Amino acid sequence: MAKYTSEEIEHAVELAQDIGLAATRRELGYPSSWSTLKRWCDEAGVAIELDALKSKAAQFNSFYEETELRVAQQDALASIFLPADVSA
């Protein structure tokens, strides 16, 4: 099941056209990330004006979130599959 209904996504995209991405997220309280709302707008064919700095910052945030998630997953897998007492 999708986290957001098509109506919620459509409403967010329409509002973003009027007031921008950040203001839409603050007003609606969703989605949880700027890049998700940007993706919804892109998928709907809606162009939202962004300044270059804000766009680059959002790309870096997405990268670091994914990287941190991978590191956490690797740590979890290592703790499950590696013996606790590894003697050299």
Side-chain angles (χ1 to χ4, degrees):
M1 183 174 160
K3 187 172 182 179
Y4 300 102
T5 66
S6 57
E7 291 82 13
E8 289 173 319
I9 293 171
E10 184 178 324
H11 178 62
V13 169
E14 289 174 2
L15 190 58
Q17 281 183 291
D18 295 334
I19 64 174
L21 298 172
T24 297
R25 287 185 57 233
R26 281 192 301 271
E27 184 169 319
L28 297 178
Y30 71 89
S32 58
S33 74
W34 180 93
S35 58
T36 298
L37 182 52
K38 174 75 169 97
R39 187 184 76 238
W40 291 349
C41 291
D42 291 344
E43 290 171 355
V46 174
I48 304 293
E49 291 295 321
L50 306 172
D51 64 32
L53 181 61
K54 191 178 284 187
S55 181
K56 284 184 181 184
Q59 290 171 359
F60 282 116
N61 286 343
S62 292
F63 170 78
Y64 285 115
E65 287 173 3
E66 292 170 9
T67 302
E68 290 169 350
L69 179 60
R70 276 192 223 108
V71 169
Q73 290 171 336
Q74 289 171 345
D75 289 345
L77 289 173
S79 69
I80 293 170
F81 292 108
L82 293 178
D85 183 28
V86 179
S87 300

